[in-house]
Amino acid sequence: AQSVTQLDSHVSVSEGTPVLLRCNYSSSYSPSLFWYVQHPNKGLQLLLKYTSAATLVKGINGFEAEFKKSETSFHLTKPSAHMSDAAEYFCVVSEGTGGFKTIFGAGTRLFVKA
Amino acid sequence: ETGVTQTPRHLVMGMTNKKSLKCEQHLGHNAMYWYKQSAKKPLELMFVYSLEERVENNSVPSRFSPECPNSSHLFLHLHTLQPEDSALYLCASSQVSADYGYTFGSGTRLTVV
């Protein structure tokens, strides 16, 4: 069975500095991997997805993630944080087309200081 | 606008009430989901509908009853809820045929008093 671990429950950065949100996964297959963002009192929005094409995936709002099979990691990065990036971020692993084969991480809360 | 609309946005109900949450998607997706999001807990999948049929059912209490009359609409009927059922209820949709991710609605914030 697949699993996903977000290594930090909270990350705090200053505006204009890089962002790194860490995610490790476990899967018996070649999974699909996703990052979602949730702003307060909103639903989740898809940031980017990896589905066995290029290992470096670019998403919306300047975010990108690199799939590293040898390290079973899918870390999310952004070169320069903006105040509007403050939100909760979820890493997701999926071995199938939705439902109970899709597992959400516990989330990482990103704080951005002025 | 995300393409998935949930109503109401906020709901306060007593433990003896009956209410329903509504979800509507305009994306042409053929799978829809109900998730429960509680403070300090991972997202919990409650129900999955694929091609309008319930295909998987987690161990959700019977006081939650889903309904999917067509591929665009999903309901969650609530009755005799408990205070611990207070949470954000999220609806999502996707294509069954390929794993391109979900589109979520903004959720219904439910408070049981």
Side-chain angles (χ1 to χ4, degrees):
Chain A
Q2 73 274 39
S3 66
V4 59
T5 302
Q6 292 184 241
L7 299 171
D8 306 291
S9 60
H10 299 86
V11 170
S12 183
V13 301
S14 297
E15 192 174 23
T17 64
V19 175
L20 170 63
L21 305 183
R22 299 181 295 163
C23 173
N24 286 354
Y25 71 92
S26 172
S27 174
S28 304
Y29 303 94
S30 296
S32 297
L33 295 159
F34 307 82
W35 277 98
Y36 289 83
V37 60
Q38 185 179 29
H39 289 92
N41 299 312
K42 299 286 188 184
L44 281 70
Q45 180 186 15
L46 182 64
L47 268 181
L48 50 80
K49 56 181 178 278
Y50 166 78
T51 54
S52 74
T55 56
L56 183 62
V57 182
K58 294 188 184 299
I60 61 173
N61 301 334
F63 284 94
E64 62 182 38
E66 186 171 7
F67 173 71
K68 291 188 176 180
K69 187 174 182 179
S70 60
E71 298 176 12
T72 61
S73 69
F74 190 57
H75 301 336
L76 182 70
T77 60
K78 183 173 181 178
S80 176
H82 190 272
M83 295 297 288
S84 61
D85 295 328
E88 186 143 25
Y89 292 79
F90 296 90
C91 182
V92 179
V93 61
S94 178
E95 292 182 347
T97 53
F100 290 92
K101 298 177 182 176
T102 298
I103 304 299
F104 283 75
T108 298
R109 174 75 63 180
L110 176 65
F111 297 93
V112 182
K113 298 174 290 186
Chain B
E1 179 57 55
T2 64
V4 177
T5 303
Q6 289 187 243
T7 54
R9 291 297 309 276
H10 301 273
L11 178 63
V12 179
M13 60 185 288
M15 289 190 285
T16 59
N17 292 159
K18 288 185 180 181
K19 295 286 185 184
S20 295
L21 310 185
K22 179 182 176 182
C23 177
E24 185 174 359
Q25 59 99 358
H26 311 279
L27 301 167
H29 289 165
N30 50 20
M32 297 185 76
Y33 314 83
W34 280 116
Y35 278 88
K36 176 183 179 182
Q37 187 176 35
S38 305
K40 302 189 187 305
K41 292 177 70 174
L43 221 59
E44 299 174 52
L45 178 60
M46 300 176 73
F47 299 105
V48 179
Y49 276 84
S50 175
L51 303 173
E52 302 169 36
E53 297 210 357
R54 191 159 72 188
V55 293
E56 298 175 72
N57 189 8
N58 207 352
S59 54
V60 178
S62 60
R63 56 186 183 269
F64 295 92
S65 174
E67 179 190 2
C68 187
N70 55 61
S71 61
S72 298
H73 294 85
L74 184 65
F75 295 89
L76 187 62
H77 304 299
L78 316 171
H79 65 97
T80 59
L81 294 191
Q82 304 299 312
E84 61 264 29
D85 297 322
S86 298
L88 182 67
Y89 288 83
L90 292 164
C91 173
S93 69
S94 74
Q95 282 297 117
V96 174
S97 59
D99 201 8
Y100 294 130
Y102 296 165
T103 301
F104 281 86
S106 296
T108 295
R109 173 70 64 186
L110 173 66
T111 304
V112 181
V113 297

